[in-house]
Amino acid sequence: MSAPSPETTAHPDRARTSLEALRAEIAKAVVGQDSTVTGVVVALLCRGHVLLEGVPGTAKTLLVRSLAASLELDTKRVQFTPDLMPSDVTGSLVYDTRTSEFSFQAGPVFTNLLLADEINRTPAKTQSALLEAMEERQVTVDGTARPLPEPFLVAATQNPVEYEGTYPLPEAQLDRFLLKLTVPLPSREDEISVLRRHAEGFSPRDLQAAGIRAVADANDLEAARAAVARTAVSAEIAGYVVDICRATRESPSLALGASPRGATALLSTARAWAWLTGRDYVIPDDVKALALPTLRHRVQLRPEAEMEGVTADSVITAILAHVPVPR
């Protein structure tokens, strides 16, 4: 068996360097959201989807657009409203009078990065239109399965404070999101920086003028995914992930714990984080770093715990403090 060429062995390192450069590139447009950017990159590496939760005006849309520009990927945005139909997302058959035949008109889901804005403002029927796309990476219309582009990621947003007139996402759909990322308000210094940039002429609608350029592409992403798949996981780390998820099922504060799918998701995100930080093996700190965003939307609080002010994050944090860490 011949040895791999230097180009082949160096490529994963170049891919890591390129993906690390995303933070600096996106920071040209988005201030103070490094952890959210990292979360979306982890989701891309794991072929997963993200749910972004934050109040309006925290640059969620700008973040996704900046990420797409930095990765040289196509992106589309759908504003979810109560009257949005499933075909408005997936596409539909359109009758062509010239040929007297029906042809498929692709919907906005046929893209690399789909921003599903305020996904909880549309009924379950339209929300479910994304389920096949997210899970199978295809859309079936009139019995014909149509594959989606690769890579494909859904970044859905929801407002955490205004629930009137919304349709909460069912557990089955929440479980399809690899990560739930909370988008915080910026610090005072970051907010001053935002205002200064706008005063100097920055326009969120003109990313080219902001100086954002492509620092990675789909080839880098594919090389990175292959490297993540080779990241070693010891039996002790696998057992640690399982113990954390089993502890959520036994917690008196939770009516619903993380499923085995949640355990596999946590292992995947921990591997991606380990690779991004420069290691080819997973350590317990990698699992701890991704436990909250990977599990917070996969557990359900008991009503009495919720009334006492307990949150999913506080329960998972307590579990991480009590589950024995492998040495």
Side-chain angles (χ1 to χ4, degrees), residues 92-112:
S92 59
L93 295 177
V94 178
Y95 184 72
D96 189 339
T97 56
R98 294 172 299 179
T99 62
S100 299
E101 294 179 350
F102 285 94
S103 61
F104 179 67
Q105 184 71 38
V109 74
F110 286 85
T111 187
N112 297 125

Side-chain angles (χ1 to χ4, degrees), residues 30-146:
V30 181
V31 178
Q33 299 290 1
D34 280 358
S35 61
T36 308
V37 172
T38 301
V40 178
V41 172
V42 166
L44 276 168
L45 290 174
C46 299
R47 291 181 169 86
H49 309 285
V50 295
L51 181 62
L52 303 172
E53 186 171 88
V55 298
T58 49
K60 296 185 292 294
T61 301
L62 181 60
L63 188 151
V64 174
R65 291 180 56 237
S66 301
L67 179 67
S70 301
L71 280 170
E72 216 169 21
L73 298 176
D74 183 47
T75 182
K76 290 186 174 66
R77 173 180 176 271
V78 178
Q79 181 66 50
F80 280 71
T81 57
D83 60 347
L84 193 74
M85 299 296 292
S87 59
D88 295 330
V89 178
T90 62
S92 59
L93 295 177
V94 178
Y95 184 72
D96 189 339
T97 56
R98 294 172 299 179
T99 62
S100 299
E101 294 179 350
F102 285 94
S103 61
F104 179 67
Q105 184 71 38
V109 74
F110 286 85
T111 187
N112 297 125
L113 298 181
L114 175 68
L115 178 62
D117 218 352
E118 294 189 290
I119 191 173
N120 58 336
R121 292 210 171 275
T122 198
K125 184 176 182 180
T126 303
Q127 289 176 4
S128 66
L130 280 177
L131 280 177
E132 182 188 13
M134 293 169 67
E135 188 68 19
E136 307 295 337
R137 299 181 183 275
Q138 66 179 27
V139 168
T140 302
V141 177
D142 196 35
T144 301
R146 305 174 191 274

Side-chain angles (χ1 to χ4, degrees), residues 42-43 45 70 113 115 118 138 180 187 190 207 214 233 238 245 305-306 316:
V42 166
L45 290 174
S70 301
L113 298 181
L115 178 62
E118 294 189 290
Q138 66 179 27
K180 179 182 178 182
S187 66
D190 286 339
L207 297 181
V233 179
C245 291
E306 200 165 3
I316 295 170

